[in-house]
């Protein structure tokens, strides 16, 4: 099941998981707009630390209880089932144990990576019981489904991704810690994507008007790999991701290159992607931010469904 | 106030430090296939000619070895170690592009003996280098900053980006003409702006390319306006139309009486007798690379565009022009394939 675009779920509908968003910045606000549409999640709180925050004011105007009292305040309320952490790695590292102690499942959009990596199109069901899941990186959410689409059909000894994003969509946190992107994404290409070795590259492009997020996935494949099966798997995966990221699109058919001695005798499949944001709160070109919030909502929904199923079986 | 005659002396021109990047930027022209034995021979010969700095890595810097930029024959650490073993006086420099190479990669080549970290960003994105400059200084490395595709922004904005690098611990910020698109007056304005902004906080450098045949001329203009570090490569070996030729730089500075510490005659020998026999195809300013200079397209894109042109049956200068119009920046080699697919589709439509 997926969230339906454009309709707001009735408040107080039974069986929905309750949720809080911590971090009322651009990401937190976009997340809020998406969660307000969810049929499976009832978003109750927006939490920040600055009483003058625009994000808190916006949340109030959307009918959500907002507080600048931080996590201390949250833990004094009727605690939610889920918390979406849209702060910083440092803040999440400080908060993670407190959420866990209160029995709140954390969906972590920061690079803290306390819990296992989750990509909803690939492995969200595997970690539905985890107390804390991490949403990897924007480039990871865009490309790991495609690495998996290839690796579920044929062995992938090496996968490499190139994520190009508009300069304006890279915040100060990303800029100050860009190695976190390359290292975390590389690791997740292996752990979630299923490549034996992963490599990630990120490019910031300042062109105006801002460029829509672009991602390229190169997978090394054996000389005898089944190209038709790979192509079919890639198209099928694109549809899976489109269910929660409507602006996710293949720019062209997968491109196959013949085995090459410079590639250790492997062939190569190249997948060229565009990620246009949904324009919920963030602009459309910021597909990199949209895919993070969309994937987090989807992960939250899958976790909520698993919790419901568990409760029903009791 | 008149100057007493007895204080009139021969004017000593300020020193300019040359950096030879044959074994880094030149690597593009050999598709990153330099062997450790090539590195040993070139580095030893440059060292003997008095070259103070020799840059060695994959053409796209640390961790450049990839599908997107071409796999290198050796790891960066192997190449650096070979260079370090071959030199007596020269310092070995490495290039790192944040977003591709990491602090971890920098530490690895530092352990192999690299002494200078050159951190490169697109000219508007200097703040992604802060992490790497901080780490390099903590390691005790000398630092250089590269503002790539410097023609894309004006002198004042470039100077503001240079300030970000200097504040992060960068000791010399380069105006990098990655597309060979700068004309002499544009070099003058940019170097002057950086010198004015940085003062004694950091030096200014210049890295030129030959697309419009201005590498040496622009280097002289840069020096005359205060640049004190200049890059070249032997026989202009490099991306696109190639780099400012080191042997001509050394010769011209010698003729001008500008001290470099380099033996110009020996550098000529290195270019002619050591480097040239290794190379099957030297860069030239041909149609495609002149188009790069004209439209300000990142020079490393050339060979990738030629490959994509072959693969998809379209022309490389058409690809390069489209890539320039789209405003793609260094590192977006994957977009060359995307553009080629698009052109091929238009053709069959």
């Amino acid at each position: 099941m997926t969230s339906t675009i454009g309709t707001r779920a009735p408040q107080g509908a039974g069986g929905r998981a309750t949720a809080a968003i911590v971090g009322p910045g651009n990401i937190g606000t976009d997340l809020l707009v998406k969660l307000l549409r969810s049929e499976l999640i009832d978003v109750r709180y927006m939490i920040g630390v600055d009483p003058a925050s625009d994000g808190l004011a916006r949340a109030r105007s959307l009918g959500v209880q907002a507080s600048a009292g931080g996590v201390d305040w949250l833990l004094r309320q009727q605690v939610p089932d889920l918390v979406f952490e849209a702060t910083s790695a440092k803040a999440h590292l400080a908060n993670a144990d407190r959420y866990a102690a209160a029995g709140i499942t954390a969906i972590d959009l920061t690079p803290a990576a306390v819990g296992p990596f989750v990509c909803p199109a690939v492995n969200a069901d595997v970690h539905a019981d985890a107390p804390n899941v991490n949403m990897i990186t924007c480039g990871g959410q865009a490309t790991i489904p495609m690495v998996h689409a290839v690796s579920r059909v044929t062995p992938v000894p090496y996968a490499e991704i190139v994520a190009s994003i508009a300069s304006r969509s890279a915040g100060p946190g990303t800029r100050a810690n860009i190695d976190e992107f390359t290292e975390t994404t590389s690791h997740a290409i292996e752990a979630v994507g299923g490549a034996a070795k992963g490599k990630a590259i990120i490019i910031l492009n300042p062109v105006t008007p801002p460029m829509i997020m672009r991602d390229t996935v190169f997978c090394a494949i054996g000389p005898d790999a089944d190209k038709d099966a790979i192509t079919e798997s890639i198209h099928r995966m694109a549809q899976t991701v489109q269910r929660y990221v409507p602006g996710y699109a293949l720019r062209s058919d997968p491109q196959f290159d013949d085995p090459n001695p410079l590639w250790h005798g492997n062939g190569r499949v190249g997948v060229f992607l565009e990620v246009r944001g949904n324009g919920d709160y963030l602009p459309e070109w910021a597909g990199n931010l949209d895919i993070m919030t969309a994937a987090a909502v989807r992960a939250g929904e899958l976790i909520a469904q698993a919790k419901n199923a568990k409760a029903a079986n009791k | 106030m008149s100057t007493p005659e007895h204080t009139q002396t021969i004017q000593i021109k300020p020193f300019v430090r040359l950096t030879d990047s044959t074994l880094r930027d030149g690597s593009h022209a050999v598709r990153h296939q330099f062997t450790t034995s090539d590195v040993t021979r070139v580095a030893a010969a440059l060292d003997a000619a008095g070259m103070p700095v020799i840059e060695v890595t994959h053409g796209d810097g640390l961790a450049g070895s990839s599908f997107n930029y071409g796999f290198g024959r050796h790891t960066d650490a192997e190449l650096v170690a070979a260079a370090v073993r071959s030199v007596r006086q020269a310092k070995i420099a490495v290039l790192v592009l944040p977003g591709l190479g990491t602090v971890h990669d920098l530490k690895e080549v530092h352990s192999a003996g690299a002494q200078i970290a050159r951190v490169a960003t697109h000219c508007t994105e200097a703040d992604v280098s802060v992490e790497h400059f901080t780490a390099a200084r903590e390691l005790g490395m000398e630092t250089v900053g590269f503002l790539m595709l410097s023609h894309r922004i004006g002198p004042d904005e470039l100077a503001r980006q240079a300030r970000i690098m200097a504040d992060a611990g960068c000791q010399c910020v380069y105006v990098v003409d990655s597309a060979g698109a700068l004309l002499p007056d544009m070099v003058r304005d940019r170097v002057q702006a950086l010198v004015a902004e940085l003062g004694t906080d950091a030096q200014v450098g210049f890295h030129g390319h030959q697309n419009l045949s201005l590498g040496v001329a622009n280097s002289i203009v840069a020096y005359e306006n205060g640049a004190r570090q200049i890059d070249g490569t032997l026989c202009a070996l490099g991306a696109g139309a190639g780099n400012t030729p080191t042997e001509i730089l050394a010769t011209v500075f010698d003729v001008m009486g500008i001290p470099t510490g380099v033996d110009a005659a020996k550098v000529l020998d290195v270019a002619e007798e050591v480097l040239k026999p290794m190379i099957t195809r030297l860069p030239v300013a041909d149609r495609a690379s002149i188009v790069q200079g004209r439209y300000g397209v990142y020079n490393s894109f050339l060979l990738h565009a030629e490959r994509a042109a072959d693969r998809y049956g379209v022309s490389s200068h058409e690809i390069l022009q489209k890539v320039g119009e789209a405003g793609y920046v260094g590192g977006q080699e994957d977009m060359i394939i995307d553009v080629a697919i698009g052109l091929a589709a238009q053709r069959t439509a």
Side-chain angles (χ1 to χ4, degrees):
Chain A
M1 188 185 290
T2 55
S3 55
T4 49
I5 308 300
T7 58
R8 185 167 157 178
Q11 287 296 312
R16 291 199 298 165
T18 55
I21 299 167
V22 177
N26 292 335
I27 297 279
T29 303
D30 193 74
L31 200 50
L32 176 61
V33 176
K34 287 180 168 64
L35 283 173
L36 285 170
R37 287 196 298 257
S38 175
E39 293 169 356
L40 295 166
I41 296 172
D42 175 15
V43 59
R44 294 275 174 88
Y45 313 114
M46 172 68 94
I47 291 121
V49 290
D50 175 11
S53 150
D54 292 341
L56 293 177
R58 274 191 298 266
R60 280 187 202 103
S61 73
L62 291 167
V64 172
Q65 201 178 351
S67 167
V71 175
D72 290 341
W73 179 87
L74 175 65
L75 295 178
R76 289 197 301 271
Q77 315 305 308
Q78 193 180 19
V79 296
D81 300 314
L82 307 173
V83 62
F84 291 85
E85 181 91 49
T87 55
S88 66
K90 198 176 162 196
H92 186 62
L93 288 170
N95 297 338
D97 286 347
R98 304 182 69 193
Y99 300 143
I104 308 171
T105 298
I107 295 157
D108 171 22
L109 286 84
T110 80
V114 173
F117 291 141
V118 162
C119 177
V122 180
N123 72 340
D125 51 331
V126 177
H127 297 297
D129 281 338
N132 189 317
V133 296
N134 178 269
M135 298 312 299
I136 319 175
T137 60
C138 60
Q141 290 298 339
T143 59
I144 286 166
M146 289 302 157
V147 176
H148 179 71
V150 181
S151 77
R152 70 186 172 186
V153 176
T154 190
V156 175
Y158 172 80
E160 174 183 313
I161 72 101
V162 187
S164 291
I165 65 173
S167 288
R168 282 173 60 193
S169 70
T174 302
R175 290 169 175 276
N177 300 286
I178 203 155
D179 282 6
E180 247 171 16
F181 175 93
T182 51
E183 287 166 353
T184 302
T185 310
S186 301
H187 183 200
I189 289 168
E190 299 165 10
V192 184
K197 182 150 177 48
K199 182 181 183 73
I201 299 164
I202 184 168
I203 313 286
L204 308 184
N205 183 312
V207 75
T208 47
M211 63 170 287
I212 292 168
M213 186 198 204
R214 297 294 313 273
D215 296 276
T216 300
V217 181
F218 292 120
C219 292
I221 52 174
D224 303 321
D226 182 342
K227 292 178 185 171
D228 291 340
I230 294 170
T231 300
E232 186 279 330
S233 179
I234 286 169
H235 282 289
R236 186 155 44 92
M237 181 58 85
Q239 288 170 2
T240 304
V241 179
Q242 278 159 4
R243 275 186 232 143
Y244 60 95
V245 188
Y248 188 85
L250 292 168
R251 291 266 307 174
S252 55
D253 273 327
Q255 302 290 308
F256 290 93
D257 283 278
D258 291 335
N260 186 320
L262 293 175
W263 300 343
H264 305 291
N266 286 310
R268 182 179 86 175
V269 56
V271 183
F272 296 83
L273 297 158
E274 178 178 276
V275 185
R276 184 184 290 271
N278 207 41
D280 289 322
Y281 174 67
L282 299 162
E284 280 189 7
W285 44 262
N288 52 313
L289 306 178
D290 182 79
I291 198 169
M292 277 300 265
T293 56
V297 170
R298 181 72 185 136
E301 288 179 342
L302 290 166
I303 290 166
Q305 272 180 328
K307 281 182 193 294
N308 278 344
K310 213 171 176 181
N313 288 338
K314 269 184 187 162
Chain B
M1 200 166 85
S2 63
T3 309
E5 245 171 57
H6 66 269
T7 63
Q8 294 248 334
T9 52
I10 299 163
Q11 198 193 346
I12 307 277
K13 294 181 177 171
F15 175 79
V16 59
R17 189 174 81 171
L18 301 186
T19 292
D20 184 89
S21 185
T22 307
L23 297 172
R24 197 281 298 170
D25 220 355
S27 189
H28 287 289
V30 297
R31 296 185 173 185
H32 320 289
Q33 298 302 303
F34 276 131
T35 64
T36 46
S37 135
D38 295 335
V39 168
T40 300
R41 288 167 58 213
V42 173
L46 282 169
D47 179 68
M51 185 59 60
V53 182
I54 300 170
E55 187 177 45
V56 184
T57 52
H58 184 282
D60 294 85
L62 299 177
S65 183
S66 58
F67 273 130
N68 204 31
Y69 310 118
F71 289 99
R73 180 173 296 193
H74 295 282
T75 67
D76 295 309
E78 287 165 353
L79 297 172
V80 166
V84 168
R85 278 195 303 271
S86 318
V87 299
R88 263 174 281 180
Q89 57 80 29
K91 289 181 175 174
I92 302 303
V94 294
L95 185 77
V96 58
L97 278 67
L100 172 61
T102 63
V103 168
H104 176 84
D105 299 322
L106 197 56
K107 286 180 176 165
E108 205 177 327
V109 289
H110 174 255
S111 300
Q115 290 174 280
I116 303 176
R118 308 214 309 169
V119 186
T121 74
H122 182 67
C123 59
T124 55
E125 312 297 316
D127 56 357
V128 298
S129 67
V130 173
E131 183 181 15
H132 303 75
F133 280 124
T134 305
R137 293 297 293 271
E138 279 170 9
L139 289 169
M141 297 179 86
E142 187 190 324
T143 50
V144 166
F146 254 42
L147 292 170
M148 298 190 290
L149 291 170
S150 277
H151 71 280
R152 294 251 175 110
I153 54 175
D156 294 343
E157 204 185 338
L158 196 67
R160 281 194 291 276
Q161 295 288 318
R163 168 53 62 190
I164 295 170
M165 286 187 162
D167 286 351
C170 173
Q171 294 164 295
C172 174
V173 185
Y174 268 65
V175 174
V176 179
D177 187 14
S178 316
L182 289 175
L183 302 179
D185 61 317
M186 299 161 80
V187 173
R188 177 198 65 207
D189 294 348
R190 282 164 178 73
V191 170
Q192 281 180 358
L194 264 62
V195 168
E197 172 61 40
L198 301 177
T200 55
D201 296 343
Q203 285 190 319
V204 174
F206 179 74
H207 174 105
H209 277 273
Q210 291 288 69
N211 303 67
L212 302 178
S213 205
L214 290 168
V216 175
N218 281 344
S219 297
I220 295 168
V221 170
Y223 173 81
E224 286 175 340
N225 286 283
R228 292 295 172 260
Q229 297 194 30
I230 306 277
D231 285 6
T233 65
L234 295 165
C235 304
L237 194 73
N243 294 50
T244 309
T246 304
E247 64 276 17
I248 305 181
L249 262 187
T251 303
V252 167
F253 281 134
D254 209 26
V255 171
M256 294 173 75
I258 296 162
T260 63
V262 170
D263 184 327
K266 281 189 181 169
V267 173
L268 285 183
D269 295 343
V270 183
E272 200 69 29
E273 291 163 22
V274 180
L275 197 271
K276 203 176 272 178
M278 286 181 186
I279 306 303
T280 49
R281 176 188 157 176
L282 284 169
V284 288
D286 57 9
R287 179 174 59 182
S289 61
I290 296 166
V291 163
Q292 288 185 292
R294 167 118 208 200
Y295 294 98
V297 180
Y298 197 65
N299 261 320
S300 316
F301 286 180
L302 178 66
L303 294 186
H304 295 275
E306 288 181 1
R307 274 198 289 283
D310 278 352
R311 165 79 166 75
Y312 293 101
V314 294
S315 77
S316 56
H317 70 276
E318 245 184 312
I319 297 176
L320 290 166
Q321 192 172 333
K322 283 257 181 212
V323 162
E325 286 163 2
Y328 291 135
V329 301
Q332 293 189 284
E333 272 75 346
D334 55 325
M335 291 298 109
I336 291 168
I337 303 175
D338 184 74
V339 165
I341 294 169
L343 286 171
Q346 276 174 23
R347 186 148 304 180
T348 55

